[in-house]
Structures are given as structure tokens and as C-alpha cells.
């Protein structure tokens, strides 16, 4: 494969990740939408931003069945078409009910190719290239979200209806992906036999990773949600200064994800345990901080480590999944992440009530202690994995 074609193929595979987290980009238009839907509560209007997450969780499972019927590429293409069509419905709709329904359909479209954004990389690449692309995929998610939020903010000067034009990006990505990505093994099977003859299933390793991801995402969301309270309630800074910290975490996360491939070459199976150490250190620094600078420093350590762990988790999809089950494996892991994100507010509320800490300092220290315990387990698993690799090489 020549260099130009290879680069375009990689971009085409990564391009679908640009819209994966697009559900929340219309949050900038919610205040104006509330003025239009005067008969609706604020929470009902805000629900339009998070509503797609419910159907995403359902359709990440259905996507595995879809790939067996029509193949990977057509499943992604169908998802992009649904995202494009359902996404722009609010541009023309004035009824809350119609917009509500369109957001549910949008989630269905995103769910169809959510797991395939991960597993397609595993189908087409291996080794260093796969590891590098897994990191870039995470970066593409964040870059896509940032770009669409910027565009939505610009379109908001026209009207809140106009902000929903951002979903037209799906129609731009569709031909790039469909003509830039070759058929995968599943696509060939569907073409030759009418359907894939190997049914997908999961194993105990996949369930373990999904549970791990569930708690990791819950902790991540807890930190993001409570960090502004730690900054403002302790008098470390204003809400705007807290926003600087969170945005800096996102930027550093993108940079870290871009260099995941190079980091993977050096650390290999130790990325997760070392990343967990950094997470624990970052959370403890924030929990014990006595000022803005110290809080900022802890947040940056946390912000660098989290995307590296997430990228490594998805990089393991093809190695821990059962034969021909990469898509289902990625789906189960994504369900773990979505459940963690959806249940995080309840977990935070329960933990705060348990330790009697409404601000978050003591909760951060407790989360840091939990991460240290998990880190010890991660190092044990990494060492066992290393020994297993050495045995395999010797034999």
C-alpha cells in the first residue's frame, strides 16, 4: 500500500470517532431552547443533551448482530446516515416531542458504530500501528467534540435551531469512511456466505475489563464534576478558574492520546498500572491541596494518565476477546463506560453522604486510596502477564 493511500485509510478509519461524543455539543444552545419551550422544566430541556446515551447503550449491543447480517462497513454507514438525518431534525422542528424522538434516534445511530470505531482498528491493523491508532482514536474523539462545540457556538448567533447543523458532519464522513476503508474479515464473510457463520461471545477477561472500566469512568466523572466545588468552596479560585483547570486537562489528554503509540512501545503491559499510580497521585494531590496551583498540578497529572489508560483498555480488545468477537467485546466495554458515566452522580452522592463531605476534599482522598489499592492489583496482573509472555517465548 502506497504512503498516501495508507494515510488516507487511517484517517478514514479514525474519522468516525469525530462524531462519537457529539451528543453533548448542543449544550451551548440549551439556555435559548429553554426560552422557547417555556412550558418545559429546565431538567426536561437539559435531558435533550444526555438523552442519546440511553439508546447508545442499547444499540452498541445490536451493532454486533447487525455486523453479522450486513457487515462492518455497511453497519457504520447506516449509523452515519441515521446520525446525519436524526441530528438535523431539530433544525426544522419546533415541537419538543419531535426533538425528543430525534435525539433518541440519534443515539441509535451513534450506538451502531460506537464499538466499531474501536474494533475496526483491530480488524485492519496490529502491533505498533494498532496501538498508535488507538491513541489517535481517543484524540479524534476529543478534537471532534471541541470542534463541534466551537461550530455550535458560532451557529448559535443565528439561532438555537442552527446549532444542530453540526450533525451534517456525518454526511461528510460517510463517503470518506466507506470509500477509504477496505472490507474487513466480517465484510468478506457476509459477501461470500450471506452472513457470518461465527457467532460472537464474551469471556471472563472481557467482563473483568468492562467492570474495571465502569469504576474507572465513575471515578473520572466524579473528579470532573466535583473539581469546581473543591476550587470554589475552598476559596482556591473562581468557577472560571476551575474551568481553566478542566479545559487544560482535556488539552493534555488529547496530547497524551496522540503519543500513546510511542508510550506503548516503551511501557507495554505496564501502561495501566503506571497510569493508575499517576491517577492516584493526581487525585491525592487534589484532595490534599491547600491552594489553586497545587490543585491545578494534581489535575494535570490525572488528566495525562486517564486517556492513556482508556486507550490501552481499547487496545486490548483484540487480544482479550474470543475469536471473531471483537465488536461484541468493544460493545460490552462501552456499556461499562456508559453505565459508569450515567451512574456516577449517584455514586458521588452516596459517597459524599457516607463520609459527610459535601465539598469533595475527603472524597478525593478516599478515591485516591481506592486507586492505590486497584493499582497494586494492576501491577500483579501485569507481572503475571509478563511471565506468561516469557513462557510462551521459551516454548
Amino acid at each position: 500500500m502506497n504512503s498516501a493511500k495508507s494515510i488516507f485509510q487511517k484517517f478514514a478509519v479514525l474519522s468516525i470517532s469525530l462524531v462519537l461524543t457529539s451528543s453533548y455539543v448542543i449544550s451551548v444552545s440549551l439556555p435559548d431552547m429553554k426560552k422557547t419551550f417555556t412550558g418545559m422544566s429546565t431538567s426536561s430541556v437539559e435531558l435533550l443533551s444526555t438523552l442519546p446515551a440511553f439508546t447508545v447503550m442499547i444499540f452498541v449491543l445490536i451493532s454486533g448482530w447487525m455486523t453479522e447480517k450486513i457487515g462492518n462497513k455497511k453497519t457504520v454507514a447506516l449509523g452515519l446516515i441515521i446520525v446525519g438525518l436524526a441530528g438535523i431534525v431539530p433544525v426544522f422542528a419546533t415541537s419538543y416531542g419531535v426533538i425528543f424522538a430525534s435525539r433518541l434516534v440519534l443515539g441509535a445511530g451513534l450506538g451502531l458504530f460506537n464499538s466499531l470505531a474501536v474494533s475496526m482498528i483491530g480488524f485492519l491493523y496490529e502491533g505498533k500501528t494498532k496501538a498508535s491508532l488507538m491513541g489517535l482514536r481517543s484524540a479524534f474523539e476529543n478534537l471532534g467534540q471541541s470542534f463541534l462545540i466551537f461550530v455550535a457556538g458560532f451557529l448559535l448567533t443565528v439561532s438555537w435551531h442552527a446549532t444542530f447543523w453540526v450533525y451534517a458532519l456525518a454526511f461528510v464522513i460517510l463517503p470518506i469512511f466507506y470509500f477509504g476503508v477496505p472490507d474487513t474479515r466480517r465484510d468478506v464473510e457476509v459477501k461470500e456466505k450471506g452472513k457470518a457463520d461465527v457467532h460472537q461471545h464474551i469471556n471472563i477477561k472481557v467482563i473483568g475489563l468492562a467492570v474495571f472500566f465502569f469504576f474507572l469512568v465513575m471515578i473520572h466523572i466524579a473528579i470532573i464534576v466535583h473539581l469546581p466545588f473543591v476550587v470554589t468552596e475552598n476559596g482556591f479560585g473562581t468557577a472560571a478558574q476551575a474551568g481553566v483547570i478542566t479545559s487544560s486537562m482535556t488539552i493534555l489528554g488529547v496530547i497524551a492520546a496522540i503519543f500513546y503509540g510511542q508510550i506503548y512501545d516503551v511501557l507495554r503491559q505496564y501502561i495501566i498500572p503506571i497510569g493508575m499510580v499517576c491517577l492516584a497521585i493526581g487525585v491525592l494531590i487534589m484532595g490534599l491541596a491547600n491552594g489553586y496551583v497545587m490543585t491545578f498540578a494534581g489535575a494535570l497529572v490525572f488528566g495525562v494518565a486517564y486517556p492513556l489508560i482508556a486507550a490501552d483498555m481499547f487496545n486490548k480488545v483484540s487480544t482479550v476477546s474470543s475469536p471473531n468477537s471483537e465488536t461484541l467485546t468493544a460493545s460490552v466495554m462501552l456499556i461499562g463506560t456508559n453505565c459508569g458515566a450515567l451512574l456516577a452522580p449517584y455514586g458521588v452522592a452516596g459517597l459524599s453522604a457516607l463520609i459527610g463531605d459535601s465539598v469533595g476534599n475527603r472524597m478525593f482522598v478516599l478515591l485516591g486510596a481506592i486507586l492505590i489499592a486497584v493499582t497494586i492489583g494492576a501491577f500483579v496482573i501485569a507481572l503475571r502477564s509478563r511471565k506468561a509472555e516469557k513462557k510462551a517465548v521459551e516454548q
Side-chain angles (χ1 to χ4, degrees):
M1 184 185 298
N2 62 58
S3 179
K5 187 176 180 181
S6 173
I7 292 172
F8 181 73
Q9 178 179 303
K10 291 173 183 175
F11 176 78
V13 173
L14 294 170
S15 65
I16 59 177
S17 292
L18 291 171
V19 293
L20 277 185
T21 55
S22 61
S23 303
Y24 311 104
V25 302
I26 54 94
S27 58
V28 295
S29 65
L30 294 179
D32 284 0
M33 292 177 72
K34 179 65 178 70
K35 295 176 183 177
T36 299
F37 301 115
T38 53
M40 307 301 298
S41 66
T42 301
S43 59
S44 295
V45 176
E46 291 177 345
L47 179 62
L48 295 174
S49 178
T50 58
L51 190 62
F54 291 101
T55 40
V56 165
M57 290 178 62
I58 296 170
F59 278 81
V60 289
L61 287 176
I62 294 176
S63 67
W65 174 80
M66 286 291 293
T67 60
E68 291 182 358
K69 301 300 178 184
I70 63 175
N72 292 321
K73 283 180 63 175
K74 289 181 180 178
T75 300
V76 173
L78 177 61
L80 287 169
I81 292 171
I82 292 173
V83 167
L85 292 175
I88 64 174
V89 166
V91 173
F92 312 101
T94 56
S95 164
Y96 178 86
V98 172
I99 295 174
F100 186 95
S102 73
R103 298 295 288 174
L104 286 174
V105 177
L106 172 72
L110 291 171
L112 281 180
F113 64 89
N114 206 305
S115 59
L116 285 166
V118 176
S119 58
M120 288 286 285
I121 295 174
F123 287 142
L124 296 168
Y125 302 97
E126 57 186 19
K128 293 181 180 180
T129 302
K130 186 189 76 171
S132 179
L133 289 176
M134 285 296 179
L136 286 172
R137 191 204 69 78
S138 180
F140 265 56
E141 270 193 24
N142 289 315
L143 289 172
Q145 186 174 33
S146 299
F147 171 72
L148 291 177
I149 288 174
F150 172 77
V151 174
F154 175 77
L155 293 173
L156 187 59
T157 60
V158 179
S159 71
W160 67 259
H161 289 281
T163 61
F164 288 85
W165 277 116
V166 295
Y167 293 103
L169 178 63
F171 294 126
V172 178
I173 294 171
L174 178 60
I176 293 174
F177 172 82
Y178 201 79
F179 296 110
V181 177
D183 289 342
T184 63
R185 179 180 66 253
R186 177 59 55 82
D187 294 305
V188 173
E189 288 172 347
V190 170
K191 285 182 179 180
E192 292 180 350
K193 302 178 182 179
K195 65 176 182 179
D197 58 354
V198 180
H199 294 289
Q200 301 188 67
H201 59 280
I202 58 174
N203 56 48
I204 190 65
K205 290 182 180 179
V206 174
I207 295 173
L209 281 177
V211 172
F212 176 75
F213 226 160
F214 168 81
F215 285 107
L216 184 65
V217 170
M218 185 175 283
I219 291 174
H220 178 246
I221 298 297
I223 298 300
I224 296 299
V225 169
H226 269 267
L227 184 57
F229 291 98
V230 170
V231 173
T232 56
E233 295 295 325
N234 286 311
F236 296 162
T238 64
Q241 289 174 311
V244 171
I245 295 179
T246 53
S247 60
S248 298
M249 289 172 68
T250 301
I251 293 169
L252 268 182
V254 171
I255 296 172
I258 289 173
F259 289 100
Y260 167 74
Q262 289 80 358
I263 296 171
Y264 174 80
D265 287 343
V266 177
L267 300 180
R268 296 282 173 173
Q269 71 268 29
Y270 295 108
I271 286 183
I272 289 180
I274 291 175
M276 293 297 293
V277 169
C278 292
L279 285 185
I281 292 172
V283 175
L284 287 173
I285 290 174
M286 286 186 280
L288 300 171
N290 57 8
Y292 182 78
V293 174
M294 193 172 175
T295 304
F296 204 150
L300 293 184
V301 173
F302 185 91
V304 170
Y306 180 79
L308 291 176
I309 295 173
D312 198 57
M313 294 280 283
F314 283 116
N315 189 36
K316 294 182 184 298
V317 166
S318 59
T319 57
V320 302
S321 65
S322 301
N324 301 297
S325 300
E326 291 89 345
T327 300
L328 180 59
T329 296
S331 297
V332 171
M333 289 176 66
L334 286 166
I335 287 174
T337 64
N338 279 285
C339 284
L342 288 171
L343 296 177
Y346 303 102
V348 169
L351 196 58
S352 296
L354 181 66
I355 62 177
D357 179 24
S358 59
V359 176
N361 293 78
R362 278 183 289 169
M363 184 180 70
F364 277 29
V365 173
L366 178 58
L367 290 175
I370 293 172
L371 285 170
I372 290 173
V374 174
T375 299
I376 294 172
F379 266 112
V380 170
I381 293 172
L383 289 170
R384 285 181 178 177
S385 175
R386 182 65 176 170
K387 287 180 180 177
E389 284 182 7
K390 284 184 177 179
K391 272 188 179 180
V393 171
E394 289 172 358
Q395 291 174 354

